[in-house]
Amino acid sequence: MHLRINGLVFAVLTALVAILGTWSGEANLQRLWLLPLALLLLGLAYEGMMVSRARPNVTVEAAGQGILGRPMSLQLLFRHALGRALHLQVAPAAPEAIEINSEIRLLTVPPGEAAAIEVRATPRRLGQHDWPSMQVRVGGPLGLAWWSRRFEPDYSFKVMPELLRDSAGRISAIGGGTRAHLNQGAGAEIFQLREYRAGDPQNAIDWKATARRGRLISRDYTEDQHLDIVIAIDAGRTSALRAGELDRLGHYINLAARFAEHAVAQDDRVGVMLFADQPLATLAPGRGIGSVLRIRQMLSAATPKLAESNPLNAALRIRTLVRHRSLIVMLTDVDDATVAGQLASAARLLLPKHLPLIAGISSPEAEAMRGAPALTWLDPYQSLAAQEYLSRLERNARALRALGAPALVTRPEHMERAVFDAYLEFRQRRRV
């Protein structure tokens, strides 16, 4: 309980009357302070009873599912049972993984109706989250005090990975059909007609074209290119480090979910593996919308582990997961010196049978520090540290490229485009 203006007035009046009565020396006046004190206590008792009868409560109106890193709006609806307006001081609360503006709001709730507070929330961590209790002060009807109450919203929601933002790539557009590529092979569509070569099978001969030209003519067919892809996601200790709006694991998860959706739309088979010091969860490559849904379900349960990452153990597991040449997209920390050595070993283990694409995140804060002007004595040292960090990133990436493993190190907001472009290049150049 915290006194409001009216309650403070009565408290001050009680003290003044008590002081004056003491100074007067008269017995009757010395007890006069009991009157304002009694009025204050009676008023507080009445307010306490009315607040209890009001039964104030809160409900949360929002979707039952949120998208990692994507802002969402929700409403906090406050109601009570009194026949008069009720004043509230509300400190909005949210689960630890949800970011909101928690500044205190003053709210008037009319009788028989709900008063709403609009809150903009941004999920920063995957999983199922229960809304926590909320600290609220209820104003008594006489204006004497604020009465502290805890409201328990009965609301939980699940945070899922991102979806593709372009309508052409959404799950609803993913089918089970193939994507034909104009390369010579044994597909279903004719690519070109050419002169017969010794060894061509009879079913490749175009007899109508042969009759027209008077010599044997063979058909070349398009080749349907279907890749096997494994997305290996680092969920070790460094994946909990913040990188822009999300932690690194959040960026990895969003990218993996969108990339899997995009690759399955090309009729490729996609699998996922989460790893830290050991492989944590594995999903074998699959095709179609069912595979996308299984991948999203597995990714939605991912959390960082307090263990050093070991990409070499992940590579060993990948070799048992896919038997023929595949594209391995490894989303991991490239700037850690210990991990960098293991990454090189993992790349050697996967090459040349598989094509490993290693993608890491560069710190936006370090890039800003590298070129920032020196305003204090500490700034030059911070700038030098940032330069060393970024140089080490580039050295590690160059070392991986020298082994034959494509390596990308980009800012979080550019990582998706870089990986998608590399994937497109691999398909066009048929590197997998």
Side-chain angles (χ1 to χ4, degrees):
M1 182 189 71
H2 303 270
L3 292 179
R4 298 169 68 185
I5 295 296
N6 293 350
L8 289 173
V9 168
F10 271 94
V12 171
L13 181 61
T14 300
L16 289 176
V17 172
I19 292 171
L20 292 175
T22 302
W23 287 352
S24 68
E26 297 185 11
N28 292 334
L29 293 179
Q30 289 177 356
R31 292 192 297 271
L32 192 59
W33 63 274
L34 294 173
L35 178 60
L37 177 61
L39 292 175
L40 175 60
L41 295 176
L42 286 173
L44 290 175
Y46 171 76
E47 282 195 349
M49 180 185 66
M50 294 300 292
V51 168
S52 297
R53 289 179 55 188
R55 298 190 301 277
N57 61 85
V58 63
T59 56
V60 181
E61 279 198 359
Q65 183 172 294
I67 300 297
L68 182 65
R70 187 187 299 182
M72 59 181 290
S73 65
L74 51 86
Q75 282 191 331
L76 305 178
L77 300 179
F78 295 87
R79 297 179 176 87
H80 64 87
L82 288 182
R84 56 182 298 170
L86 200 64
H87 301 288
L88 303 178
Q89 282 185 344
V90 181
E96 185 179 353
I98 312 300
E99 190 174 286
I100 66 168
N101 182 2
S102 56
E103 66 180 10
I104 296 176
R105 321 277 184 92
L106 184 61
L107 187 68
T108 300
V109 185
E113 299 180 18
I117 292 179
E118 194 83 18
V119 176
R120 194 164 183 82
T122 305
R124 303 298 186 195
R125 190 68 56 83
L126 294 165
Q128 190 79 28
H129 303 284
D130 295 324
W131 214 259
S133 60
M134 196 176 305
Q135 186 68 38
V136 178
R137 289 178 177 177
V138 182
L142 300 179
L144 295 176
W146 291 107
W147 300 83
S148 296
R149 294 290 185 272
R150 279 198 173 274
F151 290 2
E152 302 289 343
D154 184 16
Y155 173 70
S156 67
F157 77 118
K158 190 173 186 179
V159 180
M160 298 291 290
E162 260 283 17
L163 293 164
L164 281 175
R165 294 185 181 273
D166 56 302
S167 58
R170 289 191 178 276
I171 288 182
S172 58
I174 296 176
T178 61
R179 302 293 188 273
H181 297 267
L182 298 182
N183 293 287
Q184 182 177 340
E189 297 181 6
I190 297 176
F191 176 40
Q192 64 181 0
L193 297 177
R194 58 169 175 80
E195 296 291 336
Y196 174 83
R197 290 195 291 263
D200 286 347
Q202 288 189 1
N203 60 4
I205 298 174
D206 191 312
W207 295 106
K208 291 183 179 180
T210 297
R212 287 195 303 269
R213 299 188 184 183
R215 62 185 185 277
L216 289 175
I217 302 296
S218 294
R219 303 181 183 126
D220 277 341
Y221 294 91
T222 59
E223 180 181 1
D224 299 331
Q225 185 184 18
H226 307 296
L227 306 183
D228 272 15
I229 302 171
V230 176
I231 307 172
I233 302 170
D234 184 350
R237 177 184 57 81
T238 58
S239 69
L241 297 176
R242 190 71 175 259
E245 295 298 319
L246 299 172
D247 59 23
R248 294 187 180 191
L249 181 61
H251 290 294
Y252 297 158
I253 293 296
N254 275 344
L255 171 57
R258 291 192 292 255
F259 181 72
E261 195 176 334
H262 176 69
V264 167
Q266 314 307 312
D267 207 38
D268 290 338
R269 287 160 33 99
V270 183
V272 172
M273 184 179 68
L274 293 167
F275 72 92
D277 54 338
Q278 298 289 335
L280 302 174
T282 303
L283 191 63
R287 183 178 289 124
I289 187 172
S291 177
V292 172
L293 295 177
R294 286 191 295 273
I295 288 171
R296 290 182 60 80
Q297 183 177 6
M298 190 181 95
L299 294 178
S300 65
T303 56
K305 304 297 180 183
L306 295 178
E308 294 295 336
S309 301
N310 191 328
L312 187 56
N313 285 339
L316 288 168
R317 180 69 181 91
I318 290 170
R319 283 175 62 91
T320 65
L321 188 65
V322 283
R323 298 295 184 180
H324 54 273
R325 184 168 173 81
S326 304
L327 173 62
I328 312 300
V329 181
M330 187 170 285
L331 308 176
T332 186
D333 180 16
V334 181
D335 60 346
D336 191 325
T338 58
V339 172
Q342 293 174 352
L343 272 176
S345 300
R348 293 189 188 96
L349 187 64
L350 294 171
L351 290 164
K353 182 177 181 178
H354 304 292
L355 176 62
L357 169 64
I358 299 170
I361 291 177
S362 173
S363 168
E365 294 79 7
E367 292 186 12
M369 271 187 232
R370 176 174 59 180
L375 302 178
T376 69
W377 67 270
L378 191 59
D379 290 343
Y381 299 98
Q382 291 178 338
S383 179
L384 288 172
Q387 292 176 32
E388 173 58 27
Y389 162 80
L390 295 171
S391 298
R392 185 172 66 250
L393 272 180
E394 186 53 37
R395 286 197 304 270
N396 293 343
R398 282 200 305 266
L400 291 168
R401 295 185 197 114
L403 294 174
L408 305 170
V409 180
T410 64
R411 293 169 62 95
E413 62 270 24
H414 301 149
M415 191 176 184
E416 177 182 324
R417 176 48 51 200
V419 172
F420 275 54
D421 288 346
Y423 166 70
L424 178 61
E425 180 189 358
F426 297 154
R427 290 186 66 91
Q428 291 175 342
R429 296 175 59 187
R430 305 185 61 78
R431 292 192 60 184
V432 185

